[in-house]
Short mmCIF file of all heavy atoms in Angstrom, two decimals:
data_model
loop_
_atom_site.label_atom_id
_atom_site.label_comp_id
_atom_site.label_asym_id
_atom_site.label_seq_id
_atom_site.Cartn_x
_atom_site.Cartn_y
_atom_site.Cartn_z
N LYS A 5 -106.20 258.53 -46.62
CA LYS A 5 -104.94 258.57 -45.87
C LYS A 5 -105.25 258.98 -44.43
O LYS A 5 -106.08 259.85 -44.19
CB LYS A 5 -104.00 259.58 -46.51
CG LYS A 5 -102.62 259.62 -45.87
CD LYS A 5 -101.74 260.65 -46.53
CE LYS A 5 -100.81 259.95 -47.48
NZ LYS A 5 -99.75 260.83 -47.98
N VAL A 6 -104.57 258.33 -43.49
CA VAL A 6 -104.75 258.67 -42.08
C VAL A 6 -104.10 260.03 -41.84
O VAL A 6 -102.90 260.20 -42.03
CB VAL A 6 -104.11 257.60 -41.16
CG1 VAL A 6 -104.28 257.99 -39.70
CG2 VAL A 6 -104.70 256.23 -41.45
N LYS A 7 -104.93 261.01 -41.49
CA LYS A 7 -104.43 262.37 -41.25
C LYS A 7 -103.85 262.48 -39.85
O LYS A 7 -102.84 263.14 -39.62
CB LYS A 7 -105.57 263.37 -41.43
CG LYS A 7 -105.14 264.80 -41.22
CD LYS A 7 -106.25 265.76 -41.47
CE LYS A 7 -105.75 267.17 -41.22
NZ LYS A 7 -106.80 268.15 -41.38
N PHE A 8 -104.51 261.81 -38.90
CA PHE A 8 -104.13 261.89 -37.49
C PHE A 8 -104.66 260.65 -36.80
O PHE A 8 -105.77 260.21 -37.08
CB PHE A 8 -104.75 263.16 -36.88
CG PHE A 8 -104.78 263.17 -35.38
CD1 PHE A 8 -103.67 263.53 -34.66
CD2 PHE A 8 -105.93 262.80 -34.70
CE1 PHE A 8 -103.70 263.53 -33.26
CE2 PHE A 8 -105.98 262.81 -33.31
CZ PHE A 8 -104.86 263.17 -32.59
N PHE A 9 -103.86 260.06 -35.91
CA PHE A 9 -104.37 258.97 -35.07
C PHE A 9 -103.64 258.97 -33.74
O PHE A 9 -102.42 258.91 -33.70
CB PHE A 9 -104.22 257.61 -35.75
CG PHE A 9 -104.99 256.53 -35.04
CD1 PHE A 9 -106.37 256.46 -35.16
CD2 PHE A 9 -104.35 255.62 -34.22
CE1 PHE A 9 -107.10 255.49 -34.49
CE2 PHE A 9 -105.06 254.65 -33.54
CZ PHE A 9 -106.44 254.59 -33.68
N ASN A 10 -104.40 259.06 -32.66
CA ASN A 10 -103.85 259.06 -31.31
C ASN A 10 -104.04 257.67 -30.72
O ASN A 10 -105.15 257.28 -30.37
CB ASN A 10 -104.58 260.12 -30.46
CG ASN A 10 -103.99 260.25 -29.07
OD1 ASN A 10 -103.60 259.26 -28.45
ND2 ASN A 10 -103.93 261.47 -28.58
N GLU A 11 -102.94 256.91 -30.65
CA GLU A 11 -103.02 255.53 -30.17
C GLU A 11 -103.49 255.44 -28.73
O GLU A 11 -104.26 254.56 -28.37
CB GLU A 11 -101.67 254.84 -30.31
CG GLU A 11 -101.32 254.50 -31.75
CD GLU A 11 -100.01 253.76 -31.85
OE1 GLU A 11 -99.78 252.87 -31.00
OE2 GLU A 11 -99.23 254.06 -32.77
N SER A 12 -103.04 256.36 -27.88
CA SER A 12 -103.41 256.27 -26.47
C SER A 12 -104.88 256.58 -26.22
O SER A 12 -105.49 256.02 -25.33
CB SER A 12 -102.52 257.19 -25.62
OG SER A 12 -102.70 258.54 -25.99
N LYS A 13 -105.47 257.44 -27.04
CA LYS A 13 -106.90 257.76 -26.89
C LYS A 13 -107.77 256.90 -27.80
O LYS A 13 -108.98 256.83 -27.61
CB LYS A 13 -107.15 259.24 -27.17
CG LYS A 13 -106.50 260.12 -26.11
CD LYS A 13 -106.87 261.56 -26.27
CE LYS A 13 -106.24 262.39 -25.16
NZ LYS A 13 -106.51 263.80 -25.32
N GLY A 14 -107.18 256.29 -28.81
CA GLY A 14 -107.91 255.34 -29.65
C GLY A 14 -108.80 255.94 -30.72
O GLY A 14 -109.78 255.34 -31.11
N PHE A 15 -108.43 257.12 -31.20
CA PHE A 15 -109.23 257.70 -32.28
C PHE A 15 -108.37 258.58 -33.18
O PHE A 15 -107.24 258.91 -32.84
CB PHE A 15 -110.41 258.52 -31.73
CG PHE A 15 -110.01 259.83 -31.11
CD1 PHE A 15 -109.95 260.97 -31.87
CD2 PHE A 15 -109.68 259.91 -29.76
CE1 PHE A 15 -109.56 262.19 -31.32
CE2 PHE A 15 -109.29 261.11 -29.19
CZ PHE A 15 -109.24 262.25 -29.97
N GLY A 16 -108.95 258.97 -34.32
CA GLY A 16 -108.25 259.85 -35.24
C GLY A 16 -109.15 260.23 -36.40
O GLY A 16 -110.37 260.11 -36.31
N PHE A 17 -108.52 260.66 -37.50
CA PHE A 17 -109.27 261.10 -38.67
C PHE A 17 -108.62 260.57 -39.94
O PHE A 17 -107.40 260.49 -40.03
CB PHE A 17 -109.33 262.64 -38.72
CG PHE A 17 -110.14 263.21 -37.61
CD1 PHE A 17 -109.56 263.58 -36.41
CD2 PHE A 17 -111.52 263.35 -37.75
CE1 PHE A 17 -110.31 264.08 -35.37
CE2 PHE A 17 -112.28 263.86 -36.71
CZ PHE A 17 -111.69 264.22 -35.52
N ILE A 18 -109.46 260.23 -40.91
CA ILE A 18 -109.01 259.76 -42.21
C ILE A 18 -109.51 260.75 -43.25
O ILE A 18 -110.67 261.14 -43.24
CB ILE A 18 -109.57 258.35 -42.51
CG1 ILE A 18 -108.97 257.34 -41.52
CG2 ILE A 18 -109.26 257.95 -43.95
CD1 ILE A 18 -109.55 255.96 -41.65
N LYS A 19 -108.60 261.14 -44.16
CA LYS A 19 -108.97 262.06 -45.25
C LYS A 19 -109.28 261.23 -46.49
O LYS A 19 -108.45 260.45 -46.95
CB LYS A 19 -107.82 263.02 -45.52
CG LYS A 19 -108.16 264.10 -46.52
CD LYS A 19 -107.06 265.13 -46.59
CE LYS A 19 -107.45 266.25 -47.50
NZ LYS A 19 -106.47 267.31 -47.54
N ASP A 20 -110.50 261.39 -47.03
CA ASP A 20 -110.95 260.67 -48.21
C ASP A 20 -110.13 261.10 -49.42
O ASP A 20 -109.97 262.29 -49.67
CB ASP A 20 -112.44 260.98 -48.43
CG ASP A 20 -113.07 260.11 -49.50
OD1 ASP A 20 -112.40 259.83 -50.51
OD2 ASP A 20 -114.24 259.75 -49.34
N ALA A 21 -109.62 260.12 -50.19
CA ALA A 21 -108.78 260.42 -51.35
C ALA A 21 -109.57 261.12 -52.46
O ALA A 21 -109.02 261.93 -53.20
CB ALA A 21 -108.16 259.14 -51.88
N GLU A 22 -110.86 260.81 -52.61
CA GLU A 22 -111.65 261.37 -53.70
C GLU A 22 -112.22 262.75 -53.37
O GLU A 22 -112.17 263.65 -54.18
CB GLU A 22 -112.81 260.43 -54.06
CG GLU A 22 -112.37 259.16 -54.72
CD GLU A 22 -113.54 258.25 -55.04
OE1 GLU A 22 -114.70 258.69 -54.95
OE2 GLU A 22 -113.28 257.08 -55.37
N SER A 23 -112.80 262.90 -52.19
CA SER A 23 -113.55 264.11 -51.89
C SER A 23 -112.83 265.10 -50.96
O SER A 23 -113.31 266.20 -50.78
CB SER A 23 -114.89 263.74 -51.24
OG SER A 23 -114.66 263.17 -49.97
N ASP A 24 -111.74 264.69 -50.36
CA ASP A 24 -111.02 265.49 -49.35
C ASP A 24 -111.83 265.67 -48.06
O ASP A 24 -111.45 266.43 -47.20
CB ASP A 24 -110.61 266.87 -49.89
CG ASP A 24 -109.34 266.77 -50.74
OD1 ASP A 24 -108.67 265.72 -50.70
OD2 ASP A 24 -109.03 267.74 -51.44
N ASN A 25 -112.98 264.96 -47.93
CA ASN A 25 -113.71 264.98 -46.66
C ASN A 25 -112.89 264.23 -45.62
O ASN A 25 -112.11 263.33 -45.95
CB ASN A 25 -115.07 264.29 -46.79
CG ASN A 25 -116.04 265.10 -47.61
OD1 ASN A 25 -115.86 266.30 -47.80
ND2 ASN A 25 -117.07 264.45 -48.11
N GLU A 26 -113.08 264.60 -44.36
CA GLU A 26 -112.41 263.91 -43.26
C GLU A 26 -113.43 263.17 -42.44
O GLU A 26 -114.51 263.69 -42.17
CB GLU A 26 -111.64 264.91 -42.40
CG GLU A 26 -110.47 265.50 -43.13
CD GLU A 26 -109.69 266.50 -42.29
OE1 GLU A 26 -109.92 266.57 -41.07
OE2 GLU A 26 -108.86 267.21 -42.86
N TYR A 27 -113.08 261.95 -42.05
CA TYR A 27 -113.99 261.11 -41.29
C TYR A 27 -113.33 260.66 -39.99
O TYR A 27 -112.16 260.30 -39.96
CB TYR A 27 -114.40 259.88 -42.10
CG TYR A 27 -115.11 260.25 -43.39
CD1 TYR A 27 -114.50 260.09 -44.61
CD2 TYR A 27 -116.40 260.77 -43.36
CE1 TYR A 27 -115.15 260.44 -45.79
CE2 TYR A 27 -117.06 261.12 -44.52
CZ TYR A 27 -116.43 260.95 -45.73
OH TYR A 27 -117.07 261.31 -46.89
N PHE A 28 -114.13 260.68 -38.93
CA PHE A 28 -113.68 260.21 -37.62
C PHE A 28 -113.48 258.71 -37.67
O PHE A 28 -114.27 257.99 -38.29
CB PHE A 28 -114.76 260.57 -36.58
CG PHE A 28 -114.44 260.11 -35.19
CD1 PHE A 28 -113.61 260.85 -34.39
CD2 PHE A 28 -115.00 258.94 -34.69
CE1 PHE A 28 -113.32 260.42 -33.10
CE2 PHE A 28 -114.72 258.51 -33.40
CZ PHE A 28 -113.88 259.26 -32.61
N VAL A 29 -112.44 258.22 -37.02
CA VAL A 29 -112.22 256.78 -36.91
C VAL A 29 -111.90 256.46 -35.45
O VAL A 29 -111.13 257.16 -34.80
CB VAL A 29 -111.09 256.28 -37.84
CG1 VAL A 29 -109.77 256.97 -37.57
CG2 VAL A 29 -110.94 254.77 -37.77
N HIS A 30 -112.55 255.40 -34.94
CA HIS A 30 -112.32 254.94 -33.57
C HIS A 30 -111.63 253.58 -33.64
O HIS A 30 -111.82 252.84 -34.60
CB HIS A 30 -113.66 254.83 -32.82
CG HIS A 30 -113.48 254.51 -31.37
ND1 HIS A 30 -113.56 253.23 -30.89
CD2 HIS A 30 -113.21 255.31 -30.31
CE1 HIS A 30 -113.35 253.25 -29.58
NE2 HIS A 30 -113.14 254.50 -29.21
N VAL A 31 -110.85 253.27 -32.63
CA VAL A 31 -110.10 252.01 -32.61
C VAL A 31 -111.03 250.81 -32.78
O VAL A 31 -110.63 249.79 -33.35
CB VAL A 31 -109.24 251.91 -31.32
CG1 VAL A 31 -110.11 251.72 -30.09
CG2 VAL A 31 -108.21 250.81 -31.43
N SER A 32 -112.28 250.92 -32.38
CA SER A 32 -113.24 249.81 -32.53
C SER A 32 -113.59 249.55 -34.00
O SER A 32 -114.11 248.49 -34.33
CB SER A 32 -114.51 250.08 -31.74
OG SER A 32 -115.18 251.21 -32.24
N GLY A 33 -113.31 250.52 -34.89
CA GLY A 33 -113.60 250.36 -36.31
C GLY A 33 -112.41 249.89 -37.14
O GLY A 33 -112.49 249.86 -38.36
N LEU A 34 -111.32 249.53 -36.46
CA LEU A 34 -110.10 249.13 -37.18
C LEU A 34 -110.03 247.63 -37.39
O LEU A 34 -110.38 246.86 -36.50
CB LEU A 34 -108.86 249.56 -36.39
CG LEU A 34 -108.67 251.04 -36.09
CD1 LEU A 34 -107.37 251.25 -35.34
CD2 LEU A 34 -108.70 251.86 -37.36
N VAL A 35 -109.55 247.23 -38.58
CA VAL A 35 -109.21 245.83 -38.84
C VAL A 35 -107.71 245.68 -38.62
O VAL A 35 -107.25 244.74 -38.00
CB VAL A 35 -109.61 245.43 -40.28
CG1 VAL A 35 -109.13 244.03 -40.60
CG2 VAL A 35 -111.11 245.55 -40.46
N ASP A 36 -106.93 246.64 -39.14
CA ASP A 36 -105.47 246.66 -38.98
C ASP A 36 -105.09 247.84 -38.09
O ASP A 36 -105.83 248.82 -38.00
CB ASP A 36 -104.78 246.85 -40.34
CG ASP A 36 -105.07 245.73 -41.31
OD1 ASP A 36 -105.07 244.57 -40.88
OD2 ASP A 36 -105.29 246.02 -42.51
N GLU A 37 -103.92 247.75 -37.45
CA GLU A 37 -103.41 248.91 -36.71
C GLU A 37 -103.00 249.98 -37.71
O GLU A 37 -102.43 249.67 -38.76
CB GLU A 37 -102.20 248.52 -35.86
CG GLU A 37 -102.56 247.72 -34.63
CD GLU A 37 -101.35 247.51 -33.72
OE1 GLU A 37 -100.37 248.28 -33.82
OE2 GLU A 37 -101.40 246.57 -32.92
N ILE A 38 -103.31 251.24 -37.40
CA ILE A 38 -102.97 252.33 -38.31
C ILE A 38 -102.15 253.39 -37.60
O ILE A 38 -102.15 253.46 -36.37
CB ILE A 38 -104.24 252.98 -38.92
CG1 ILE A 38 -105.13 253.57 -37.82
CG2 ILE A 38 -105.01 251.97 -39.76
CD1 ILE A 38 -106.29 254.41 -38.33
N LYS A 39 -101.45 254.19 -38.40
CA LYS A 39 -100.72 255.35 -37.87
C LYS A 39 -100.79 256.47 -38.91
O LYS A 39 -101.24 256.25 -40.03
CB LYS A 39 -99.28 254.98 -37.52
CG LYS A 39 -98.45 254.47 -38.67
CD LYS A 39 -97.09 254.01 -38.17
CE LYS A 39 -96.15 253.62 -39.26
NZ LYS A 39 -96.59 252.61 -40.19
N GLU A 40 -100.35 257.64 -38.52
CA GLU A 40 -100.40 258.80 -39.41
C GLU A 40 -99.74 258.51 -40.75
O GLU A 40 -98.70 257.85 -40.81
CB GLU A 40 -99.66 259.96 -38.73
CG GLU A 40 -100.47 261.22 -38.67
CD GLU A 40 -99.84 262.25 -37.75
OE1 GLU A 40 -99.01 263.02 -38.23
OE2 GLU A 40 -100.18 262.25 -36.55
N ASP A 41 -100.36 259.00 -41.83
CA ASP A 41 -99.89 258.88 -43.22
C ASP A 41 -100.05 257.50 -43.84
O ASP A 41 -99.64 257.30 -44.98
CB ASP A 41 -98.43 259.35 -43.37
CG ASP A 41 -98.29 260.84 -43.12
OD1 ASP A 41 -99.22 261.59 -43.45
OD2 ASP A 41 -97.24 261.25 -42.59
N ASP A 42 -100.68 256.53 -43.13
CA ASP A 42 -100.96 255.23 -43.74
C ASP A 42 -102.04 255.38 -44.81
O ASP A 42 -102.98 256.16 -44.63
CB ASP A 42 -101.46 254.22 -42.70
CG ASP A 42 -100.34 253.62 -41.87
OD1 ASP A 42 -99.16 253.78 -42.24
OD2 ASP A 42 -100.65 252.97 -40.85
N GLU A 43 -101.91 254.63 -45.90
CA GLU A 43 -102.96 254.55 -46.92
C GLU A 43 -103.91 253.44 -46.48
O GLU A 43 -103.47 252.33 -46.16
CB GLU A 43 -102.35 254.20 -48.28
CG GLU A 43 -101.39 255.23 -48.81
CD GLU A 43 -102.08 256.46 -49.39
OE1 GLU A 43 -103.24 256.35 -49.81
OE2 GLU A 43 -101.45 257.52 -49.40
N VAL A 44 -105.21 253.75 -46.46
CA VAL A 44 -106.19 252.79 -45.96
C VAL A 44 -107.42 252.71 -46.86
O VAL A 44 -107.70 253.63 -47.63
CB VAL A 44 -106.65 253.15 -44.52
CG1 VAL A 44 -105.51 253.02 -43.52
CG2 VAL A 44 -107.25 254.56 -44.46
#
Side-chain angles (χ1 to χ4, degrees):
K5 185 181 259 191
V6 179
K7 181 177 180 183
F8 163 82
F9 192 75
N10 184 322
E11 287 183 41
S12 62
K13 294 187 178 177
F15 73 90
F17 293 91
I18 294 175
K19 187 172 184 176
D20 189 322
E22 290 179 12
S23 68
D24 280 346
N25 289 341
E26 292 180 12
Y27 299 108
F28 178 82
V29 59
H30 187 264
V31 70
S32 64
L34 300 182
V35 174
D36 299 318
E37 286 188 20
I38 61 171
K39 60 185 186 305
E40 232 168 89
D41 293 326
D42 280 348
E43 297 283 335
V44 294

